[in-house]
Amino acid sequence: SAHDTTSPNPKQSSSSTAPLAHKAPGPRMNATFVTLARNSDVWEISRSIRQVEDRFNHAYNYDWVFLNDAEFDETFISVTTALTSGRTRYGKIDSAHWGFPDFIDQEKAAKVREDMHERKIIYGDSVSYRHMCRYESGFFFRHELMLEYEWYWRVEPSIELFCDVSYDPFKFMAENKKKYSFVLSLYEYEATIPTLWDSTKSFMKEHPEHIAEGNSMQFLSDDGGETYNHCHFWSNFEVGNLDWLRSKAYIDFFEHLDKDGGFFYERWGDAPVHSIAAGLMLKKEEIHFFNDIAYYHVPFTHCPTGEKLRLENKCHCNPKDNFDWNGYSCTKRYFEMNKIPLPEGYEKEQ
Ligand code: GDP
Ligand code: MN
């Protein structure tokens, strides 16, 4: 849209703060960081950017796309531009992608919010949170600023990265034929998705051609697909392939869910939506667990298993905080399904 702005990029000049010697050699992937944020998130996203730059991007200078349903203000633009080493781009979200579709019954949606408020379901009374979840489920990868890229790394406000990332995760994904990735997995809050699996099952019936052979059904269901076990990858961190999200398979899935109305009549999150899509429409080998990317988003920590790895990558997380081998994590199921050995040191650190 006409509101999109791209900051001038003075960072290639000699005044760059990171010494040239620290630039990673070799080509870059067609990739970008992407952040959905409000102007009021500026200080929280600044903390995240600083960590991503210090731990990784100062050596790679990948672009960073910021998306917002409102116009970004001068403070947001100047602060985030100053903190990033690559080109920054700022996009306003089209109102057609952020709001109620016309087939949603407003009265019914309002009653649900009231009911969820009384039941104290987190974000249950929020309209904007629902628009956000629907946008992250079905639209961010189609924003005009995102169309030119093949890979994305999602970054949210107030995250932490505890270890150096001393290789290019985008390149790793491409070279190893990965399409989606995660660092934390857990069980979704049932009250937010009571009919998500019903909608998924009717999609599977309608579109068997989109269901991959050798998929991750075993991660999502304990009874061969009859019921959902609520396992999902935590989508506030994602490194993934945008062409997959823009594929007919994914779009058909999103549109099927959207028509069923659960983004508004329930409170479907983008995490279970992305996870079910990846779990059913990708081969299980196409989903990657980044053990070496140490990460925090309130309230969970992924601190890499394996002391050698932590020391080599200058990690500053406490391994006792690692959530992976906790009973509420689904990560062990991912290892079992893929028949890959648990990381070295797992016994000592669970
Ligand atoms: P939580 O992690 O599920 O608690 O949700 P967050 O509050 O972190 O929101 C998820 C992401 O969406 C973050 O990147 C937020 O900055 C962003 N976000 C949430 N609500 C809005 C909104 O109404 N407008 C915009 N522009 N961004 C939002
Ligand atoms: Mn968040």
Side-chain angles (χ1 to χ4, degrees):
S1 78
H3 305 287
D4 296 335
T5 50
T6 297
S7 69
N9 188 7
K11 298 158 196 156
Q12 309 299 332
S13 74
S14 56
S15 66
S16 168
T17 46
L20 277 176
H22 289 173
K23 296 284 175 251
R28 297 292 181 264
M29 303 299 292
N30 182 13
T32 186
F33 290 94
V34 60
T35 291
L36 176 67
R38 296 155 289 214
N39 287 310
S40 58
D41 293 321
V42 61
W43 304 113
E44 285 73 31
I45 196 60
S46 292
R47 291 173 51 193
S48 303
I49 294 171
R50 181 70 209 213
Q51 300 220 13
V52 171
E53 289 292 338
D54 286 356
R55 289 301 199 168
F56 169 70
N57 202 41
H58 68 91
Y60 288 86
N61 314 141
Y62 278 110
D63 291 2
W64 205 307
V65 173
F66 296 91
L67 301 174
N68 188 353
D69 58 305
E71 205 74 62
F72 279 117
D73 63 28
E74 276 311 303
T75 302
F76 191 100
I77 293 173
S78 59
V79 170
T80 55
T81 299
L83 283 167
T84 43
S85 64
R87 183 170 61 145
T88 47
R89 310 175 79 186
Y90 301 87
K92 179 155 189 280
I93 294 166
D94 194 310
S95 59
H97 291 177
W98 188 283
F100 291 96
D102 51 17
F103 53 81
I104 291 298
D105 177 341
Q106 293 286 339
E107 238 173 77
K108 183 173 165 185
K111 283 215 185 77
V112 168
R113 294 196 299 275
E114 234 172 82
D115 174 62
M116 285 197 174
H117 176 75
E118 271 155 34
R119 292 161 61 207
K120 295 191 166 61
I121 293 167
I122 185 166
Y123 299 119
D125 58 354
S126 173
V127 173
S128 66
Y129 195 83
R130 285 181 171 80
H131 292 325
M132 182 278 287
C133 289
R134 180 169 176 264
Y135 187 77
E136 293 286 24
S137 296
F139 297 104
F140 82 90
F141 47 85
R142 298 192 257 182
H143 189 281
E144 65 168 318
L145 290 178
M146 297 299 287
L147 292 179
E148 72 184 67
Y149 299 103
E150 187 183 357
W151 301 95
Y152 73 103
W153 179 333
R154 175 169 166 182
V155 178
E156 282 206 0
S158 298
I159 60 127
E160 294 193 55
L161 285 189
F162 301 106
C163 305
D164 284 352
V165 180
S166 48
Y167 64 96
D168 184 340
F170 300 119
K171 192 154 172 270
F172 173 89
M173 297 281 287
E175 285 176 350
N176 293 281
K177 299 189 163 55
K178 307 290 184 187
K179 293 282 198 299
Y180 191 76
S181 67
F182 71 100
V183 289
L184 283 157
S185 72
L186 65 157
Y187 294 94
E188 180 59 300
Y189 189 16
E190 220 262 305
T192 65
I193 51 156
T195 70
L196 175 59
W197 195 251
D198 292 337
S199 188
T200 299
K201 286 203 288 189
S202 72
F203 168 78
M204 288 192 278
K205 239 188 217 153
E206 207 171 293
H207 287 289
E209 76 278 13
H210 291 332
I211 307 304
E213 248 177 74
N215 63 29
S216 306
M217 181 60 97
Q218 199 188 321
F219 178 81
L220 301 171
S221 174
D222 297 341
D223 51 19
E226 194 45 42
T227 59
Y228 181 35
N229 63 20
H230 304 135
C231 279
H232 66 289
F233 308 119
W234 220 22
S235 62
N236 47 63
F237 169 98
E238 291 177 323
V239 177
N241 184 285
L242 291 161
D243 291 329
W244 171 59
L245 292 173
R246 289 185 289 247
S247 69
K248 180 160 188 339
Y250 186 86
I251 301 287
D252 282 350
F253 179 62
F254 170 72
E255 284 176 357
H256 184 98
L257 298 189
D258 200 31
K259 292 269 145 53
D260 282 346
F263 290 108
F264 299 102
Y265 302 144
E266 296 179 3
R267 208 226 62 202
W268 294 353
D270 53 282
V273 171
H274 287 185
S275 301
I276 291 171
L280 298 179
M281 299 194 285
L282 297 176
K283 291 183 185 305
K284 61 183 184 342
E285 298 77 19
E286 291 177 311
I287 303 175
H288 182 62
F289 170 60
F290 277 111
N291 182 44
D292 49 9
I293 299 185
Y295 179 82
Y296 171 80
H297 175 293
V298 65
F300 299 118
T301 298
H302 165 67
C303 187
T305 299
E307 188 180 21
K308 186 165 168 281
L309 180 68
R310 291 194 301 270
L311 296 176
E312 275 171 8
N313 293 305
K314 302 181 168 61
C315 303
H316 72 280
C317 52
N318 183 343
K320 289 205 180 76
D321 294 336
N322 183 29
F323 181 68
D324 300 347
W325 317 121
N326 179 300
Y328 290 106
S329 167
C330 293
T331 297
K332 209 169 174 181
R333 287 174 184 267
Y334 169 87
F335 277 83
E336 286 164 1
M337 171 183 71
N338 285 292
K339 300 190 175 59
I340 41 185
L342 293 163
E344 200 178 323
Y346 147 81
E347 318 79 4
K348 280 182 284 173
E349 294 171 17
Q350 66 179 307

